Amino acid sequence: MREIDKYMTVNEAAERYGINVNTIKNRLKPSLPKYWKETNEMIEEGLLKFYQKGQRKEWIISEEAIKRWFGK
């Protein structure tokens, strides 16, 4: 597997792992403190990345982040 293939968008992660896209999006919401602490830690570790311009946020998710959230 190429290194670049270890990273994906929210929609690609949902499709690749068979997880509802809204379930993944909920992990990325600061308004849900139940998940945000772990999400913020993963941002610091480089397992998640987001880009924001105005109201729009785009996320890049690593395979490792998916494994931590949902298991293998």
Side-chain angles (χ1 to χ4, degrees):
M1 175 180 281
R2 298 176 307 164
E3 187 66 26
I4 192 73
D5 293 329
K6 295 178 184 177
Y7 301 91
M8 63 210 99
T9 64
V10 172
N11 288 330
E12 182 181 357
E15 185 177 323
R16 190 187 295 187
Y17 292 96
I19 301 167
N20 184 292
V21 72
N22 289 320
T23 300
I24 296 173
K25 285 181 179 182
N26 284 338
R27 300 288 176 133
L28 302 170
K29 290 182 180 178
S31 61
L32 295 176
K34 175 180 177 179
Y35 302 122
W36 184 247
K37 182 179 182 222
E38 182 181 29
T39 298
N40 199 44
E41 289 170 1
M42 286 195 272
I43 291 168
E44 293 297 319
E45 291 176 44
L47 300 177
L48 297 169
K49 179 182 177 188
F50 73 96
Y51 169 78
Q52 184 170 358
K53 183 168 185 170
Q55 293 291 327
R56 184 182 171 132
K57 284 186 181 178
E58 296 184 35
W59 289 89
I60 301 296
I61 302 171
S62 68
E63 285 185 332
E64 184 61 31
I66 293 292
K67 288 176 186 176
R68 281 199 201 175
W69 283 334
F70 304 108
K72 294 186 178 192

